[in-house]
Amino acid sequence: MKKGFTLIELLVVVLIIGILSGIALPNYTRSVEKARATEAMNMIKSINEAVYAYAAEHNKCPASFSKVLISIPGAANSSGTEVTAKYFTYQLNKATNALIPGTNCGGVVASRNTGTYNYVLWNPYKIINADTRKRTLACTGTGDRSIGLCQNLGIYTTEVPF
């Protein structure tokens, strides 16, 4: 009597592994993108705090990222108002309908544009009306995956930050 596996048994095992991989991979990529978005949200909060500190000290909004005391790894554009990091592009004073409280400075926008995801995150302070500001981040996107990610983060809106 020979010991070993038959061809059918090996094919069944390969098929089961393929099905499990097909189920797990999309969930993994969504989790990775959600982690990247969370990292960008923390960076937005830090940048806004640095902008607030600059505005409080100088009574004006910073004209470039070089004016605020925060380091963002990436390449800045020639005017210094935009930094392209590994996964996001951060733009200073871009969220004109979401001012940073205590200042007249527009909020920071983080945008992600890949083949799969195309969405924008901005500002922890979103203007609800002229008198009320709600401390929250906002996210909008194009395409089902981007909108689904924003909804999954619990901050989806159809508004645009500018």
Side-chain angles (χ1 to χ4, degrees):
M1 184 170 186
K2 289 186 174 181
K3 294 183 180 182
F5 298 105
T6 66
L7 180 60
I8 298 296
E9 290 171 333
L10 291 174
L11 288 174
V12 167
V13 169
V14 169
L15 180 66
I16 290 171
I17 291 172
I19 290 171
L20 292 175
S21 299
I23 293 170
L25 191 60
N27 289 333
Y28 173 75
T29 56
R30 267 193 302 272
S31 297
V32 168
E33 192 62 33
K34 188 175 178 182
R36 288 179 182 151
T38 302
E39 179 183 338
M41 291 188 290
N42 289 330
M43 180 61 77
I44 290 170
K45 288 180 182 179
S46 298
I47 295 169
N48 281 337
E49 288 172 4
V51 169
Y52 176 80
Y54 180 90
E57 185 175 332
H58 297 94
N59 292 323
K60 64 180 181 177
C61 299
S64 69
F65 277 106
S66 64
K67 301 286 183 183
V68 295
L69 296 175
I70 192 165
S71 176
I72 303 170
N77 65 355
S78 60
S79 65
T81 58
E82 183 177 293
V83 172
T84 302
K86 187 171 183 179
Y87 299 111
F88 288 89
T89 299
Y90 298 94
Q91 295 173 302
L92 192 62
N93 300 320
K94 183 72 172 176
T96 54
N97 69 353
L99 301 179
I100 298 171
T103 73
N104 289 325
C105 304
V108 175
V109 171
S111 56
R112 175 121 162 98
N113 190 0
T114 66
T116 307
Y117 291 97
N118 185 11
Y119 61 94
V120 177
L121 297 162
W122 72 93
N123 232 26
Y125 304 99
K126 192 172 95 178
I127 296 174
I128 304 302
N129 60 44
D131 300 322
T132 309
R133 294 172 196 250
K134 182 179 177 189
R135 185 181 172 126
T136 184
L137 283 161
C139 178
T140 190
T142 57
D144 291 341
R145 288 186 181 183
S146 298
I147 290 171
L149 176 74
C150 292
Q151 289 170 336
N152 198 355
L153 292 168
I155 56 174
Y156 175 69
T157 182
T158 56
E159 298 174 37
V160 290
F162 32 79

